[in-house]
Amino acid sequence: MLPINFLQSLAQLKGFDQPAFEAVHASAEQVTSIRINPQKFNSENSGWEKAGQVPWCNEGYYLTQRPSFTFDPLFHAGAYYVQEASSMFLCAVLQQTVQETKGMKVLDLCAAPGGKTTLLASYFKDGLVVSNEVIKSRANILVENVTKWGSDHVIVTNNDPKSFAALTSYFDVIIVDAPCSGSGMFRKDTQSIVEWSEENVKLCSLRQQRIVADVLPALKEGGVLIYSTCSYSVEEDESILDWLMDEQDLVSCRIAVQDDWRIVETESTRHQAYGYRFWPHRLQGEGFFIAAFVKLGNFKNEYLPSGKLSAATKQEQQFINDFFSLPLHYHLFKQKDFFRVLPQQWLPDIEKISRALYIKKAGIELGSIKGKDIIPSHEFALSLLPKEKLTTVEVSRDEALQYLRKKEIKVEGIKGWVMITYCGLPLGWAKVLPNRMNNYYPSEWRILKD
Ligand code: SAM
């Protein structure tokens, strides 16, 4: 049962239809959607039973039913991300507000578990994406999902929004997918119905104001701010847009939506800022709200002095290159005992960012050197870096699941390091010894269920 005061608070909102809204929550219907990883997707792994395309995102698909993703090796290989369809509208917002992607610096401020970040990583293929999560424990799942997606141009940070003020006028695009009261997820997460209260909506609204105000100095003049929530409450949606326009020099962006998408365009009361509401009784998706702005004003670029990344010695570089055969445009550096690479062009940026923020992951971890051997990292196996020169072993679905449970599988006729692949996609490393195989799948990610 939805709270009465909650339903009353929505009564005047454009697109709200109480009987239809209640009916869609009472029905057991679940909408399942995935967004494919265009850089890992291929004809061998496109076999899901699709119920149609998400209209506002080329890479989004509805599925006819919810399969057990845990038992799909392709899920662990990062071939797709299970994402709620309404939030994929970020694709359409980006297409209409940020056409140029090359060299763009993009911040996803409230990023865990990483749905929007993986979308941004695909959209800004030739840009730099900083994916931040303030809550330490949630930053780990973010690292996991970014690692599986495989991109080399995503940095994961673990900072409070305030820390970004040190990167004044640095980002071209900032996405604030704000923590909210979560009413848009009532159909998927019934626990959030019990936790909903007017008091919490007010607290969320104040927190949202604080978060956006803290991060706005980091947005360039002419840069794009995208604000979203999964709440229906005006206090967290249109009122935040009005508050932003009161406080900051911003212009609201109007996004073209097709009538048959059934998305509702709204305008905030005082500044007529455009917002886009997703109602689950009108379309195939959960409750969602999104708006975009361009920042005006006259800010100077105040860059920080650079921090330095530790370089690898010539001998280490040779050893690493012999094993991994890296393309020339990558910069190799060392972090504790691990060697990492990142595209050369982003080196000065990462050095700047490292002065201001706590970086959890930058570029791709290749591995470490132990005596005369290299211990290759899981992150490299899942990455999109070229791997032609490495030995791979293609396995069946059952063997893949066995591998993902960190159990031994039979590999014959090969010795040494091998990359286990399923449908051509790497799942991770194994070392084949004369009498056994050591499974290097990360313990913390292994499938626990039988
Ligand atoms: N963007 C994510 C995605 O698409 O997968 C979902 C983000 S979720 C709606 C909001 C995130 O904000 C959560 O991960 C939460 O931990 C984080 N958060 C909570 N309090 C915050 C704060 N004060 N400042 C910034 N982020 C916060």
Side-chain angles (χ1 to χ4, degrees):
M1 272 280 278
L2 299 171
I4 301 285
N5 51 351
F6 165 68
L7 291 169
Q8 282 168 346
S9 72
L10 308 185
Q12 303 308 317
L13 295 179
K14 196 171 161 188
F16 180 63
D17 170 345
Q18 186 163 336
F21 184 80
E22 286 191 276
V24 92
H25 283 84
S27 81
E29 194 206 354
Q30 289 286 335
V31 179
T32 303
S33 47
I34 57 166
R35 188 170 37 74
I36 57 153
N37 184 343
Q39 285 167 290
K40 291 199 175 186
F41 181 79
N42 59 48
S43 53
E44 283 180 79
N45 61 32
S46 58
W48 303 289
E49 211 178 309
K50 300 184 194 95
Q53 178 140 28
V54 175
W56 40 83
C57 179
N58 282 343
E59 276 108 32
Y61 293 95
Y62 295 108
L63 300 188
T64 46
Q65 55 188 359
R66 192 176 177 88
S68 169
F69 292 114
T70 308
F71 297 122
D72 181 6
L74 295 173
F75 170 74
H76 301 275
Y80 61 91
Y81 189 92
V82 183
Q83 187 175 35
E84 190 286 296
S86 303
S87 55
M88 295 183 204
F89 187 65
L90 177 60
C91 283
V93 175
L94 290 170
Q95 275 159 5
Q96 295 186 43
T97 55
V98 202
Q99 285 86 12
E100 177 64 47
T101 59
K102 197 170 165 51
M104 284 287 182
K105 286 173 253 180
V106 182
L107 170 63
D108 186 3
L109 182 67
C110 313
K116 311 269 179 330
T117 292
T118 53
L119 190 156
L120 295 167
S122 298
Y123 190 81
F124 293 99
K125 280 195 287 295
D126 38 13
L128 177 70
V129 178
V130 177
S131 171
N132 179 70
E133 169 57 44
V134 64
I135 298 176
K136 210 171 166 190
S137 56
R138 287 177 61 79
N140 294 335
I141 179 75
L142 179 60
V143 168
E144 180 176 338
N145 285 326
V146 168
T147 301
K148 287 179 175 166
W149 207 248
S151 313
D152 57 16
H153 59 297
V154 180
I155 306 181
V156 179
T157 58
N158 175 209
N159 284 85
D160 188 274
K162 271 201 197 77
S163 312
F164 288 85
L167 292 167
T168 314
S169 304
Y170 179 75
F171 291 101
D172 299 282
V173 183
I174 295 183
I175 286 91
V176 179
D177 188 28
C180 66
S181 60
S183 47
M185 288 294 159
F186 278 177
R187 185 162 58 158
K188 275 198 170 349
D189 173 15
T190 43
Q191 180 58 27
S192 55
I193 304 180
V194 184
E195 286 162 9
W196 189 89
S197 71
E198 284 167 339
E199 197 46 42
N200 192 33
V201 168
K202 284 193 196 113
L203 285 175
C204 287
S205 175
L206 290 173
R207 183 168 56 178
Q208 287 147 356
Q209 290 174 7
R210 202 173 58 235
I211 291 173
V212 193
D214 282 346
V215 79
L216 258 175
L219 184 64
K220 266 183 195 163
E221 176 187 334
V224 174
L225 169 72
I226 299 174
Y227 174 80
S228 62
T229 72
C230 59
S231 162
Y232 301 107
S233 299
V234 180
E235 294 89 329
E236 300 179 69
D237 296 341
E238 287 86 352
S239 301
I240 297 289
L241 310 188
D242 267 342
W243 179 86
L244 268 169
M245 293 195 73
D246 281 341
E247 299 286 316
Q248 313 277 346
D249 231 352
L250 296 169
V251 179
S252 161
C253 301
R254 189 168 195 188
I255 308 298
V257 286
Q258 290 183 24
D259 288 348
D260 58 356
W261 294 356
R262 302 192 36 86
I263 298 164
V264 174
E265 181 182 271
T266 66
E267 285 179 47
S268 64
T269 20
R270 278 184 291 110
H271 292 283
Q272 286 76 50
Y274 296 108
Y276 297 86
R277 281 185 171 268
F278 293 70
W279 294 103
H281 55 273
R282 290 181 58 89
L283 46 77
Q284 292 283 300
E286 305 310 311
F288 184 61
F289 176 86
I290 191 162
F293 295 95
V294 170
K295 178 171 170 176
L296 301 175
N298 194 12
F299 292 85
K300 6 185 231 322
N301 283 357
E302 286 174 26
Y303 286 137
L304 288 168
S306 295
K308 280 267 168 282
L309 301 176
S310 317
T313 64
K314 279 239 150 53
Q315 206 183 1
E316 288 168 337
Q317 282 181 25
Q318 188 63 50
F319 200 29
I320 292 283
N321 262 324
D322 288 348
F323 188 93
F324 292 99
S325 308
L326 297 169
L328 287 177
H329 65 281
Y330 278 94
H331 175 79
L332 180 69
F333 65 103
K334 220 173 153 179
Q335 203 180 34
K336 294 188 182 148
D337 287 340
F338 291 92
F339 293 89
R340 305 189 72 95
V341 279
L342 49 89
Q344 190 77 41
Q345 72 175 118
W346 295 119
L347 183 60
D349 289 276
I350 288 170
E351 290 182 339
K352 268 166 204 145
I353 291 171
S354 70
R355 292 293 296 239
L357 306 176
Y358 172 66
I359 296 183
K360 268 189 88 77
K361 162 173 157 56
I364 302 289
E365 186 182 290
L366 299 176
S368 56
I369 298 177
K370 286 266 155 65
K372 291 198 168 136
D373 199 7
I374 287 201
I375 315 288
S377 293
H378 188 63
E379 206 171 311
F380 173 78
L382 276 266
S383 77
L384 300 166
L385 287 170
K387 309 186 181 82
E388 285 85 13
K389 299 236 170 92
L390 296 158
T391 311
T392 57
V393 172
E394 175 72 14
V395 295
S396 67
R397 184 175 179 277
D398 284 347
E399 287 170 325
L401 291 173
Q402 194 67 352
Y403 174 76
L404 293 167
R405 290 189 175 100
K406 209 170 163 59
K407 303 239 164 95
E408 198 170 333
I409 53 172
K410 268 218 155 25
V411 176
E412 277 163 358
I414 302 176
K415 266 204 327 233
W417 288 107
V418 293
M419 227 175 344
I420 306 295
T421 65
Y422 174 70
C423 291
L425 289 181
L427 296 176
W429 291 101
K431 191 166 188 187
V432 189
L433 303 170
N435 53 353
R436 62 171 206 279
M437 169 253 193
N438 285 344
N439 184 331
Y440 275 76
Y441 193 73
S443 303
E444 65 282 15
W445 292 4
R446 71 189 191 277
I447 299 178
L448 294 170
K449 283 195 271 180
D450 277 326

